[in-house]
Amino acid sequence: MEVTKTGGIQRLLASGGRWLGMGSLLLCLLLGLGGCGRGGGLQGEVRILLASFAVTRDAYRQIIPAFEADWLAKTGQRVRVESSYGGSATQSRAVINGLDADVVALALALDVERIVAAGLIQPGWEARTPNQGIVTRSVAVIVTREGNPQGIRSWQDLARPGLQVVTANPKTSGGARWNFLALWSAVPEPQALAFTTQVYKNVRILPRDSREATDVFFQKGQGDALITYEHEVILAGLRGQSLSYVVPDPNISIDNPVAVVDANVDRKGTRAVAEAFVDYLFTPEAQRAFAEVGFRPVEPTVAQEFAWRYPPVEKLVTVADLGGWEVVQNRFFADGALFDRIQAQF
């Protein structure tokens, strides 16, 4: 996990009363009290910490300064948004273990739910956030060797005997669970177990996470195909690495959630600015920054603007279609569940 600082992360102890959300901010402004900042220790300045999964860094480099300027223009108060980046599951555990994040932006809702279970985020966080908490989307893609020598065009091609597939282990990588669900959803339900089993028969090794899987495919030269995420390959292209890839249809909707960490913002008195930051992530300006680095925007006008980059997927399956994360986790990824049974065959 890596932390980016714009002035040092401070742990704040609540003293006296607690600010009660935006109402307290408005009271301060009405009274003309420029020093009514919540947290941060500096008069007129507030600091919050965002904990996000690693590949969002480029987007937040644009979004954070824009939000800070927007907040200053609207309220007259300076805000500093500090940021921490790492694997989604790692970030979730870090918050549970004491990382003082005000906002979490993670790769899958299951990682948010772990923080809910720890008592730091109140249940029903989706309903308190725009778009049910989903701030960006992506889909799963198949990266091939240059020129696609194996002629891979669909998920079904990954089940061909002798083909070597690289994907991370869904038992250790939250993101790799999307890969598994994309395969499971690629065929009608009665065929799903046999098809998914055949694809994993072609997976020679299971790296611990998506980054390691990418290294295995590119740096070690192993495998004919890599299952990864659309935003990864688009970002690689922006950095000058042209990749050959396929966006299969059907596909899985990789929904990336954002949430305020209730226990932390209430203790620190930063709820108003944390909620404002989350709201800002759904504005066209922020959504455009996400779209520019490979994430499918959820704001309709921005989605239309970037339609040229993101090919439509006619059949897009969601986790809700599969019963929700609790059902998915218990059915597929818990100890002794379907993935373990598939692996036990090899």
Side-chain angles (χ1 to χ4, degrees), residues 170-299:
K171 295 284 287 187
T172 57
S173 167
R177 292 173 191 176
W178 292 117
N179 298 351
F180 180 96
L181 296 176
L183 292 169
W184 187 270
S185 304
V187 296
E189 177 75 18
Q191 305 168 26
L193 179 58
F195 170 72
T196 306
T197 300
Q198 181 57 46
V199 174
Y200 276 93
K201 184 178 180 180
N202 290 341
V203 178
R204 300 291 188 264
I205 60 172
L206 284 168
R208 286 190 56 82
D209 56 38
S210 299
R211 184 61 56 202
E212 185 179 331
T214 300
D215 290 342
V216 166
F217 187 74
F218 288 108
Q219 295 184 15
K220 298 183 179 180
Q222 298 183 24
D224 301 303
L226 168 70
I227 307 176
T228 187
Y229 323 112
E230 184 182 51
H231 59 259
E232 291 269 17
V233 296
I234 291 176
L235 187 58
L238 294 173
R239 292 172 174 170
Q241 184 181 7
S242 180
L243 304 181
S244 175
Y245 71 100
V246 177
V247 180
D249 194 347
N251 214 304
I252 190 76
S253 181
I254 299 175
D255 296 340
N256 309 133
V258 64
V260 170
V261 184
D262 295 296
N264 290 349
V265 299
D266 287 342
R267 174 175 49 79
K268 295 160 64 176
T270 53
R271 177 175 289 278
V273 69
E275 290 181 345
F277 178 69
V278 168
D279 288 343
Y280 185 82
L281 299 181
F282 293 88
T283 65
E285 293 76 15
Q287 288 286 298
R288 192 170 292 111
F290 285 123
E292 287 172 352
V293 299
F295 291 93
R296 294 190 174 218
V298 299
E299 202 282 325

Side-chain angles (χ1 to χ4, degrees), residues 12 14 20-21 62 94 98 107 128 147 174 185 189 200 221 240 261 302 308 325-326 338:
L12 307 177
L20 298 178
Q62 300 179 53
R128 301 191 299 272
S185 304
E189 177 75 18
Y200 276 93
V261 184
V302 179
W308 61 272
W325 273 115
E326 183 176 358
L338 272 171

Side-chain angles (χ1 to χ4, degrees), residues 56-67:
T56 62
R57 182 198 308 268
D58 285 1
Y60 284 114
R61 281 175 176 163
Q62 300 179 53
I63 293 169
I64 286 173
F67 169 73

Side-chain angles (χ1 to χ4, degrees), residues 4-6 46-50 60 63-65 67-68 79-83 273 277:
T4 301
K5 296 186 178 181
T6 58
V46 59
R47 301 184 186 190
I48 62 172
L49 174 62
L50 164 71
Y60 284 114
I63 293 169
I64 286 173
F67 169 73
E68 291 173 345
V79 60
R80 293 289 177 262
V81 181
E82 296 165 342
S83 52
V273 69
F277 178 69

